[in-house]
Amino acid sequence: MRWVVLLLAFLLPALAQEAPPPDLSPEVFRIARELRCPVCQGESAAESNSGVAAEMRRIIAEMLQEGKTEEEIKAFFVERYGEWILYAPPRRGVTLWVWVLPVLGLLLLGLGLFAYFRPKPLPKELLEEAERRLKEPPR
């Protein structure tokens, strides 16, 4: 019985944090998860408990009720805070290098490893010497 109570004591707070509050739709939290909290860096607007994040969620809910699309809502926050507010930066301009450089680095590393571990041909003199020794009669 103690195990059940102890298990419920650990699981209930975790389950309570996962579910969005009933006053906002899950769509609001889905969009807010893709936006950074301007105050609590490292947290999304959906996870943060700051007043700014709560206001952002309220604005998202209002814009959804007005019939705005997800892209229009994100464009609103980008216009207000800049592209920094997006968790997934757009793949253009300077941020394109953020997406391309890791792939390019891995490609160069693979080519370097292939060139280093590739079997190299033996010099012609060594091959001729080996053939000569093989042809000599055993002593």
Side-chain angles (χ1 to χ4, degrees), residues 2 19 30 42 128:
R2 280 192 228 164
R30 190 184 62 75
E128 290 173 357

Side-chain angles (χ1 to χ4, degrees), residues 24-44:
L24 296 174
S25 71
E27 181 74 11
V28 171
F29 280 86
R30 190 184 62 75
I31 295 172
R33 264 186 226 110
E34 297 176 14
L35 300 172
R36 292 179 199 271
C37 174
V39 178
C40 312
Q41 294 188 10
E43 284 187 305
S44 71

Side-chain angles (χ1 to χ4, degrees), residues 70-82:
E70 181 179 342
E71 286 75 29
E72 290 172 331
I73 295 169
K74 286 181 182 176
F76 170 78
F77 285 106
V78 166
E79 184 178 315
R80 192 176 223 183
Y81 295 104

Side-chain angles (χ1 to χ4, degrees), residues 59-137:
I59 291 171
I60 293 169
E62 285 179 6
M63 293 177 90
L64 284 174
Q65 286 179 349
E66 293 171 2
K68 301 217 173 172
T69 64
E70 181 179 342
E71 286 75 29
E72 290 172 331
I73 295 169
K74 286 181 182 176
F76 170 78
F77 285 106
V78 166
E79 184 178 315
R80 192 176 223 183
Y81 295 104
E83 289 184 341
W84 169 87
I85 200 79
L86 298 173
Y87 260 116
R91 295 177 179 143
R92 60 181 156 76
V94 175
T95 58
L96 179 65
W97 289 106
V98 174
W99 296 96
V100 170
L101 281 179
V103 174
L104 190 62
L106 286 174
L107 183 68
L108 289 175
L109 177 68
L111 288 174
L113 289 172
F114 176 75
Y116 183 77
F117 289 111
R118 182 182 66 188
K120 294 171 182 63
L122 293 174
K124 190 173 184 175
E125 299 84 31
L126 285 177
L127 288 174
E128 290 173 357
E129 176 70 20
E131 283 180 15
R132 188 183 58 80
R133 286 186 181 179
L134 286 174
K135 290 180 183 175
E136 285 181 2

Side-chain angles (χ1 to χ4, degrees), residues 11-25:
L11 287 180
L12 286 179
L15 292 175
Q17 290 180 351
E18 290 296 322
D23 58 335
L24 296 174
S25 71

